[in-house]
Structure formats: structure tokens, C-alpha cells
Amino acid sequence: PEAARADLTAGIAHAAADERGEARERLRAAAEVFEECGMRGLHAQAVREQRRLGVRVPGGPRTAPAKGRGKSAGKGDLPFGLSPREHEIALLVAEGCSNQQIAERLYLSVRTVETHLSRVFAKIGVPSRVGVATAMNRRG
């Protein structure tokens, strides 16, 4: 995992320096290790960085709608009846991201993040970010 962390950091640095080939390779290696180790937060970060470089990365069963069933398919599979976007925001809150960081990662406005987050609070039934993090960490 430590080598994968180094690959992640190096991949981000190479992307910033516009060295796309090296960045893609480092991020791919880091994502594989994080996935094998079950390090979901770091795996998600590596995948986000890969997508920023234009790499097609599978979204996985939690984010991709079921085939042929429309946008809302799979909604029942998410905890607390959250939509896929709300679930994604709740997971980022559980990781400790601020609204600004979430907005940057998901390419949204801060106001849109706040709107989704208010729905998350209502659906989970908690008054704060700490409650969201606790609920999401319990659900795994």
C-alpha cells in the first residue's frame, strides 16, 4: 500500500506536469493495489484522477444503473434510499471532504453540493456531517 500511495502521488504530479502516459500508468497501478487491499477511499481517489486524464474506468455496481432500466435503476440498492449522486456525496462526506472539495471532485457547484447534502441529511435523519459520516461508515 505504501508503494501505491507513492504511485498515486507521482501520478497526480505527472498529470499536473502534462506527462499523461506516465500519469496513467502510475494511477492504474495505484488503483489496482488499493482495490486489492480494500482501501476504498484511496481507490476512489485514484479512479477519479484516472477519469480526469480521460481513462475509461468501470464505475462498479454501486454507481452504474442497471442495464436497460433507466437512471433510477439500482436506487433501491443504495442505503437510506439515496440517489446515486447523493450516495456519492455522502461517501465523500464520510471521507472528510469539505463541500468545496466535493464540488471540485464531482465538477459541481458548491450550491449543488449543499442542495444534495440537505437531502442526504433528511433521508438519513441526521442533523450534521458527523451524523452522515457515522451512518455511512456503519453501512460499510
Side-chain angles (χ1 to χ4, degrees):
E2 292 307 315
R5 287 177 198 261
D7 278 339
L8 176 61
T9 302
I12 293 169
H14 285 295
D18 207 26
E19 299 168 354
R20 291 177 156 305
E22 184 66 24
R24 284 184 184 124
E25 182 57 32
R26 293 289 189 108
L27 292 170
R28 183 200 55 75
E32 284 179 3
V33 171
F34 294 143
E35 185 174 35
E36 289 172 11
C37 294
M39 301 173 85
R40 293 188 322 213
L42 289 170
H43 177 259
Q45 183 179 2
V47 166
R48 277 191 300 274
E49 294 299 330
Q50 286 179 297
R51 286 188 177 129
R52 286 184 181 150
L53 290 172
V55 176
R56 287 186 176 218
V57 182
R62 289 183 296 157
T63 57
K67 220 175 195 178
R69 289 180 26 203
K71 271 177 111 174
S72 64
K75 218 179 197 182
D77 299 344
L78 298 176
F80 307 107
L82 299 174
S83 72
R85 179 63 84 185
E86 292 164 350
H87 185 251
E88 191 172 19
I89 289 172
L91 290 174
L92 290 171
V93 166
E95 286 180 22
C97 295
S98 69
N99 288 358
Q100 180 67 41
Q101 291 169 324
I102 294 169
E104 289 170 3
R105 285 185 182 185
L106 301 179
Y107 302 103
L108 300 171
S109 72
V110 174
R111 180 67 186 129
T112 300
V113 171
E114 291 169 353
T115 300
H116 282 296
L117 198 51
S118 67
R119 290 187 200 134
V120 169
F121 290 155
K123 287 181 179 181
I124 295 177
V126 296
S128 69
R129 298 172 71 87
V130 173
V132 171
T134 302
M136 294 306 291
N137 288 332
R138 283 187 186 153
R139 296 290 289 209

